[in-house]
């Protein structure tokens, strides 16, 4: 969500992509307790439960939000990437968290994705690349004699863009674009002096 007023649209997207939950538990903020939101939840049979401050349920929610934020900070610090990419980073980290099995009694040895959707999650679009990894993507727009491969940083799966393997890629123009054909650097490229120079020039442009 870009603004707090997008709560209703976010709930609609969630119910469409996942399913209508039995209840939504949230704070008593105006945007989370609006007439339009209540009507939408009532129409699909979902109850709205409002939390008071400083109670166990509220503390538990804040705990997990804090853990995700800390994991995102760690990813971004390790790669020294621009702070403006935080939303791509936390979306990717959330996907990894949801598909990772945990030693929790309610999950019965599985993960939150499987427990919620009763489906084995597909990790193929997550496990191929690390956060902010150097990659080459194929740009079909570029014509001869220019190379169709374009250097960039991988930012995670591009949901709803192209096929399931599509990835968000930060290119040298500073734009983030969805790319369907992405590959990691080859061993020869990783240890190539000219390739390292390209990386330095790329990062200098991005950091400006």
């Amino acid at each position: 969500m870009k603004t707090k007023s997008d709560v209703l649209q976010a709930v609609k997207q969630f119910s469409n992509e996942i399913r209508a939950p039995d209840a939504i538990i949230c704070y008593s903020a105006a945007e989370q307790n609006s007439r339009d939101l209540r009507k939408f939840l009532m129409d699909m049979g979902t109850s709205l439960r409002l939390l008071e401050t400083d109670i166990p349920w509220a503390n538990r929610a804040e705990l997990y939000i804090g853990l995700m934020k800390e994991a995102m900070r760690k990813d971004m610090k390790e790669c020294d990437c621009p702070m403006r990419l935080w939303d791509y980073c936390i979306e990717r980290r959330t996907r990894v968290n949801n598909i990772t099995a945990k030693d929790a009694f309610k999950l019965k040895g599985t993960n939150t994705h499987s427990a919620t959707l009763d489906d084995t999650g597909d990790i193929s679009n997550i496990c191929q690349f690390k956060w902010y990894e150097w990659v080459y993507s194929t740009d079909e727009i570029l014509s001869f004699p220019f190379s169709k491969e374009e250097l960039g940083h991988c930012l995670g799966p591009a949901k709803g863009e192209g096929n399931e393997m599509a990835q968000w890629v930060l290119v040298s123009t500073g734009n983030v674009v969805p790319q369907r054909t992405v590959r990691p650097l080859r061993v020869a490229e990783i240890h190539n002096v000219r390739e390292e120079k390209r990386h330095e020039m790329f990062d200098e442009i991005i950091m400006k």
Side-chain angles (χ1 to χ4, degrees), residues 108-160:
K108 299 178 181 179
T110 182
N111 55 64
T112 53
H113 177 93
S114 299
T116 303
L117 302 179
D118 194 24
D119 173 59
T120 302
D122 185 1
I123 66 171
S124 57
N125 60 356
I126 299 177
C127 67
Q128 298 293 325
F129 306 101
K130 298 178 181 178
W131 164 252
Y132 211 62
E133 179 179 348
W134 286 107
V135 295
Y136 272 103
S137 59
T138 302
D139 189 347
E140 297 295 343
I141 299 178
L142 296 176
S143 58
F144 182 84
F146 298 101
S147 172
K148 289 184 177 294
E149 285 196 323
E150 185 176 18
L151 183 66
H153 284 291
C154 185
L155 305 181
K159 186 177 181 179

Side-chain angles (χ1 to χ4, degrees), residues 27-83:
Y27 291 108
S28 55
E31 66 276 1
Q32 299 177 21
N33 191 26
S34 67
R35 179 182 300 176
D36 291 339
L37 178 60
R38 282 182 173 276
K39 183 179 184 304
F40 176 76
L41 295 178
M42 183 178 65
D43 290 344
M44 67 177 183
T46 298
S47 61
L48 179 64
R49 302 174 187 172
L50 300 178
L51 293 175
E52 299 177 6
T53 57
D54 300 325
I55 62 174
W57 274 101
N59 292 338
R60 182 182 299 181
E62 292 297 333
L63 170 63
Y64 284 102
I65 292 172
L67 291 174
M68 294 306 303
K69 287 182 177 179
E70 186 59 32
M72 182 210 71
R73 292 190 186 100
K74 182 179 179 180
D75 288 341
M76 298 194 70
K77 182 178 179 181
E78 288 179 352
C79 299
D80 194 26
C81 57
M83 188 57 64

Side-chain angles (χ1 to χ4, degrees), residues 46 110 124 166 169 179 186 194-195 205:
T46 298
T110 182
S124 57
V169 177
Q179 297 285 25
R186 301 186 180 97
R194 294 179 62 183
E195 188 70 24
I205 295 173

Side-chain angles (χ1 to χ4, degrees), residues 97-110:
N97 177 76
N98 291 346
I99 210 72
T100 303
K102 300 177 180 62
D103 186 18
F105 178 77
K106 289 185 178 181
L107 293 178
K108 299 178 181 179
T110 182

